[in-house]
Amino acid sequence: MAVKPLNNIWIQRQQCPCGDWKCYIKYKGDDQATLGSHSMKNETTMSLSNEVAFTPYVGQIFGSDDEAFDYYSNFARKNGFSIRKARSTESQNLGIYRRDFVCYRSGFNQPRKKANVEHPRDRKSVRCGCDAKLYLTKEVVDGQTQWYVSQFSNVHNHELLEDDQVRLLPAYRKIQEADQERILLLSKAGFPVNRILKVLELEKGVQPGQLPFIEKDVRNFVRTCKKTVQENDAMLSEKRENDLLELLEACKALAQKNDGFVYSYTTDGNEKIENIAWAYGDSIRAFSVFGDVVTFDTNYRSITYNMLLGVWFGISNHGRAIFLGCALLQDETSQSFSWVLQVFIQFMRGGQPQTIITDIDSGLRDSIAMEMPNTKHIISIWQILSKLSSWFSLPLGSQYPEFKPQFDMLCHLENVEDFEHQWNHLVARFGLGSDKHIALLFSYRTSWPFCYIRNFFLARSLTSEYLKSVESFFKNMLSSQTCLHSFFERVGIAANFGYQNEEELLYVPIKTGLPLEEHARSILTPYAFNVAQNEIMLSMQYSLTEMGNGSYLVRHYKKMERECLVFWIPEDEQVHCSCKEFEHSGILCRHSLRVLVVKNYFQIPEKYFPIRWRLKSSLVPLDDQLIQSHNNELSEAFHSLTGSLFSEASISKERYNYVRRALTDLLEHVHSMPVLDEVALNLPPNNTSEF
């Protein structure tokens, strides 16, 4: 069989962070089309089994003997047995004019001469003289050849099998061509046979052991295809070399047309490309504002090219993932990770993030510590939770459903001492003292539990909304490609889409009527304001007790959570809370807001509106009185109009849809208008109300 690996097949990294290839990691989305292999063919291998199987009868006519065999085989499968081709009769005039199909247990095996070996294998035959059969005879009617059933018997002298047993008969254990290609690619990547089966089960969405073939079939197939594997390996090696050169040429061509585009690559001793990375001008500009927190996602690798994919993401002021850079690496060593980190810093003109979020990887951890010594390294809690089932469901068995919620509770504890105490209790209770994965998690404990990372700025990049945004990016980027050049084009399209984060015409209504809330709405993006608004609303549920020296004890009126200590320094308009929410997300917590409300603050101090969460319109220079005054007038006019518009549009769905379409058209028209600063600045005040 000639294998043509035309598709660029992406799968998630399979090696466990503990370094043991026997550990299989089941990711959250492995049963969805967006994960696993985005270009995997989903042909069914059991199409015949879905057809209705009527009992054959004498005189039944078929167009060919193959059609009759397929019909009888489908009937046999539905009834718990399989068939095989027996005798055929041939004549000089008609050629083959008779076909005999019989039950797989028909006849008896003749005794064979035993091989001259010390311990010959004595296999028991399944044949028992079953008389179930279907005989075909060919005839020519009006010049047309047809086959009719001349004899049929469905009487068996053996037990018929149930459906979950009949599928294991050799006649039905067929590896389709698409699966053969997949098996060879995984085998080439170093996957053992048992893990190949697990990958296929996950990708096809079937339960373990429910594939139309078994481990023995895969093992025999790989063994008999050694030559094909070698040829396929040579083809893939040549394809990788040629496609990487094509990708490099595409990078060079884009760099000539676009000054902002940057790329870098390395070569081996034979001048063959090893690693390659690139970023766009928009990425560099976005990093200057949103580069405080960066996610480096290394969850995918290309089986076709045997390369690891690394993608850099930031989080925008609208809470969405934005593309910052991309790399293809030949391996997962510290050397490769160090190179890609150095290149990223170069791309971003020497800038380094405050915080970097990754998966668990010792090589990557060491490289970050070396190349970004001032950057805080955080392990994504979502990556850890996605691995729990494969790590602990087997050793814990029926105890796993009880273990999972207790582990989740540990992740969100606020106190380090509480975490370590309850961690030891959890390990002892479930007998995990010698478990290597528990030891791995504990060795990384300063990087993932909330109690350890609460002081680090994460800009809400561990929320489920942001995770969905990243998954959506990969869904768009890892669609079906035939080569690296098409992948490069898909990255460009997906990256460009990620920057289309124009300020949304979304009117968020005031809920508390507090001046603090109105002030926050005028400064923050709708995404950030929704978060801040929720904190403002919840702040009304907390009581305040003055402790002296500018400190206040803030507790929920129902005592539903631990009290927090808030320090207020009026001279500098500073407020600090022990919950560290502002340090963690960049948005003031309900406890600090409660203190500000009690202290008669009508506006939140400017220092508590980070640039990354602001509307673009709120970034005007405060010392430019002309612009500021003009913006105030525009703001008043727009607030009045939008308030009335929102009230009217909320009356019915029809009104809402009409207003939404009209505003969208208006925004596109305004974007297309030329911008003349001097005209804008000299606009008469009374014109602002004529929109």
Side-chain angles (χ1 to χ4, degrees):
M1 181 196 70
V3 178
K4 298 179 180 180
L6 299 178
N7 288 332
N8 184 8
I9 299 176
W10 297 95
I11 67 169
Q12 289 194 320
R13 291 173 69 184
Q14 304 296 315
Q15 184 175 5
C16 180
C18 73
D20 190 346
W21 277 95
K22 296 179 181 179
C23 296
Y24 180 77
I25 303 303
K26 181 177 180 180
Y27 287 86
K28 176 184 177 182
D30 274 343
D31 57 343
Q32 300 175 359
T34 57
L35 299 182
S37 169
H38 290 264
S39 58
M40 182 64 186
K41 300 174 184 177
N42 292 318
E43 296 91 354
T44 177
T45 62
M46 315 250 302
S47 59
L48 288 176
S49 65
N50 294 325
E51 300 175 1
V52 178
F54 295 107
T55 304
Y57 56 90
V58 174
Q60 187 174 4
I61 296 176
F62 296 95
S64 67
D65 55 340
D66 288 336
E67 180 185 339
F69 182 82
D70 291 341
Y71 187 93
Y72 189 28
S73 179
N74 186 35
F75 170 79
R77 183 186 180 94
K78 290 292 187 180
N79 287 272
F81 66 102
S82 66
I83 62 172
R84 58 183 172 86
K85 295 179 180 179
R87 182 181 58 179
S88 62
T89 307
E90 185 176 3
S91 71
Q92 187 173 2
N93 295 330
L94 293 176
I96 297 177
Y97 67 90
R98 176 171 167 171
R99 289 283 195 190
D100 295 353
F101 305 143
V102 297
C103 174
Y104 77 112
R105 303 194 69 174
S106 173
F108 298 94
N109 265 12
Q110 298 297 322
R112 298 180 180 179
K113 292 183 179 180
K114 293 185 179 181
N116 188 19
V117 294
E118 184 177 354
H119 299 290
R121 288 189 297 178
D122 187 12
R123 294 180 178 174
K124 184 178 180 181
S125 173
V126 298
R127 298 192 181 185
C128 60
C130 180
D131 194 41
K133 60 194 174 185
L134 184 147
Y135 292 170
L136 286 175
T137 301
K138 182 167 69 174
E139 63 180 0
V140 179
V141 179
D142 297 331
Q144 297 292 326
T145 300
Q146 63 184 24
W147 295 77
Y148 68 92
V149 178
S150 56
Q151 292 187 54
F152 173 71
S153 172
N154 196 33
V155 179
H156 299 264
N157 64 352
H158 57 87
E159 183 180 359
L160 298 178
L161 304 177
E162 298 294 334
D163 185 64
D164 62 338
Q165 297 173 315
V166 71
R167 67 181 184 82
L168 299 177
L169 293 175
Y172 304 123
R173 299 203 317 257
K174 296 186 182 298
I175 305 177
Q176 300 297 317
E177 184 176 349
D179 293 327
Q180 291 178 2
E181 177 180 339
R182 185 70 163 150
I183 289 169
L184 289 178
L185 284 170
L186 293 171
S187 178
K188 181 261 175 185
F191 282 57
V193 171
N194 62 331
R195 293 181 64 246
I196 291 176
L197 285 172
K198 289 183 178 180
V199 171
L200 293 176
E201 288 167 351
L202 288 170
E203 290 175 342
K204 291 178 177 293
V206 300
Q207 294 297 319
Q210 295 300 310
L211 289 170
F213 44 84
I214 61 176
E215 181 175 335
K216 176 183 177 181
D217 301 321
V218 176
R219 199 175 301 280
N220 290 339
F221 171 73
V222 173
R223 185 182 298 116
T224 57
C225 289
K226 283 184 178 180
K227 182 178 179 181
T228 305
V229 171
Q230 293 173 354
E231 293 174 353
N232 187 56
D233 185 68
M235 290 173 60
L236 288 176
S237 179
E238 182 180 359
K239 179 178 177 64
R240 166 179 161 154
E241 183 178 349
N242 293 336
D243 286 2
L244 281 173
L245 285 173
E246 185 180 1
L247 174 60
L248 180 58
E249 291 301 319
C251 289
K252 292 179 179 178
L254 186 56
Q256 291 178 352
K257 295 188 297 183
N258 187 340
D259 292 338
F261 179 80
V262 290
Y263 69 95
S264 183
Y265 66 97
T266 63
T267 58
D268 59 17
N270 297 321
E271 298 301 316
K272 295 181 179 179
I273 299 175
E274 290 180 316
N275 309 306
I276 186 168
W278 65 93
Y280 302 90
D282 288 336
S283 306
I284 300 169
R285 288 185 287 273
F287 182 83
S288 64
V289 179
F290 306 120
D292 43 13
V293 179
V294 167
T295 299
F296 186 42
D297 194 300
T298 56
N299 281 327
Y300 290 92
R301 67 177 301 109
S302 171
I303 284 293
T304 308
Y305 298 97
N306 193 25
M307 300 188 78
L308 179 70
L309 172 64
V311 183
W312 300 88
F313 293 107
I315 179 171
S316 73
N317 55 345
H318 292 280
R320 304 190 188 105
I322 52 175
F323 177 88
L324 297 178
C326 183
L328 290 170
L329 307 176
Q330 68 164 345
D331 53 41
E332 304 172 24
T333 62
S334 296
Q335 182 179 359
S336 293
F337 285 135
S338 292
W339 174 82
V340 78
L341 292 171
Q342 293 170 8
V343 167
F344 180 75
I345 294 172
Q346 293 172 7
F347 286 172
M348 301 304 138
R349 299 171 182 172
Q352 298 186 25
Q354 295 179 33
T355 308
I356 183 171
I357 302 170
T358 73
D359 194 0
I360 296 181
D361 189 293
S362 59
L364 184 55
R365 176 181 60 177
D366 295 342
S367 298
I368 291 173
M370 181 181 300
E371 306 299 337
M372 297 179 174
N374 298 322
T375 298
K376 303 296 184 182
H377 183 199
I378 301 298
I379 304 300
S380 171
I381 187 62
W382 299 105
Q383 297 292 342
I384 291 176
L385 294 178
S386 69
K387 299 172 175 62
L388 284 187
S389 176
S390 64
W391 280 351
F392 301 113
S393 59
L394 184 60
L396 292 178
S398 59
Q399 289 184 301
Y400 178 74
E402 184 181 356
F403 167 83
K404 179 65 166 57
Q406 294 194 29
F407 185 89
D408 290 341
M409 181 190 66
L410 278 177
C411 296
H412 298 94
L413 289 176
E414 298 181 2
N415 185 274
V416 172
E417 290 75 16
D418 290 344
F419 172 83
E420 297 196 353
H421 172 73
Q422 295 195 34
W423 177 272
N424 293 332
H425 177 72
L426 183 77
V427 171
R429 178 178 179 182
F430 292 97
L432 296 172
S434 60
D435 187 273
K436 59 185 177 182
H437 299 119
I438 281 289
L440 177 73
L441 289 175
F442 192 70
S443 67
Y444 279 86
R445 67 188 180 280
T446 58
S447 301
W448 61 270
F450 175 72
C451 60
Y452 282 97
I453 67 174
R454 62 189 301 182
N455 293 328
F456 301 158
F457 183 60
L458 297 181
R460 296 184 59 79
S461 54
L462 289 182
T463 62
S464 58
E465 294 87 353
Y466 178 71
L467 178 67
K468 292 177 181 177
S469 180
V470 171
E471 290 178 347
S472 176
F473 187 97
F474 277 116
K475 180 179 180 180
N476 294 327
M477 189 173 67
L478 298 184
S479 58
S480 179
Q481 314 116 19
T482 58
C483 62
L484 286 180
H485 185 269
S486 63
F487 167 71
F488 177 70
E489 293 176 344
R490 295 292 304 179
V491 171
I493 294 172
N496 183 61
F497 179 79
Y499 294 122
Q500 297 175 2
N501 292 339
E502 301 294 341
E503 293 183 8
E504 303 166 3
L505 288 172
L506 177 64
Y507 182 86
V508 183
I510 295 297
K511 295 182 178 179
T512 67
L514 291 174
L516 281 175
E517 186 184 8
E518 292 194 29
H519 180 233
R521 184 177 65 174
S522 67
I523 300 294
L524 300 174
T525 63
Y527 169 80
F529 175 64
N530 274 329
V531 179
Q533 185 182 58
N534 183 61
E535 293 297 315
I536 292 173
M537 292 173 61
L538 291 175
S539 70
M540 312 307 294
Q541 301 179 8
Y542 289 79
S543 64
L544 211 65
T545 303
E546 187 169 1
M547 304 297 291
N549 298 323
S551 63
Y552 296 85
L553 195 64
V554 183
R555 59 166 61 94
H556 192 270
Y557 80 102
K558 288 186 177 180
K559 299 182 180 180
M560 296 178 62
E561 58 187 56
R562 179 179 297 181
E563 63 271 9
C564 290
L565 192 63
V566 178
F567 292 90
W568 177 58
I569 306 175
E571 295 80 6
D572 300 326
E573 290 192 321
Q574 292 187 37
V575 60
H576 303 280
C577 182
S578 60
C579 78
K580 304 294 183 182
E581 178 60 32
F582 180 76
E583 290 81 356
H584 194 66
S585 68
I587 295 177
L588 271 184
C589 65
R590 60 200 69 171
H591 317 107
S592 299
L593 289 166
R594 182 59 179 161
V595 172
L596 293 180
V597 170
V598 170
K599 292 300 178 181
N600 296 322
Y601 270 75
F602 299 113
Q603 292 188 349
I604 298 174
E606 284 288 326
K607 67 182 68 177
Y608 296 111
F609 290 122
I611 292 178
R612 68 148 24 264
W613 294 132
R614 288 176 177 239
L615 289 161
K616 293 179 183 178
S617 59
S618 71
L619 299 177
V620 295
L622 296 179
D623 57 344
D624 194 329
Q625 297 299 322
L626 179 60
I627 297 178
Q628 186 67 29
S629 174
H630 179 64
N631 279 348
N632 286 339
E633 294 172 356
L634 284 176
S635 177
E636 291 177 6
F638 278 153
H639 273 299
S640 176
L641 283 172
T642 54
S644 300
L645 194 61
F646 178 78
S647 299
E648 294 294 330
S650 300
I651 295 175
S652 69
K653 186 175 181 180
E654 182 180 2
R655 286 190 176 190
Y656 169 79
N657 291 334
Y658 174 79
V659 170
R660 183 184 180 90
R661 288 193 300 269
L663 289 177
T664 301
D665 294 340
L666 178 62
L667 180 61
E668 292 179 357
H669 176 70
V670 172
H671 278 172
S672 65
M673 296 175 63
V675 178
L676 299 175
D677 292 342
E678 64 274 13
V679 174
L681 292 175
N682 295 322
L683 187 67
N686 60 353
N687 286 355
T688 60
S689 61
E690 296 179 0
F691 287 95

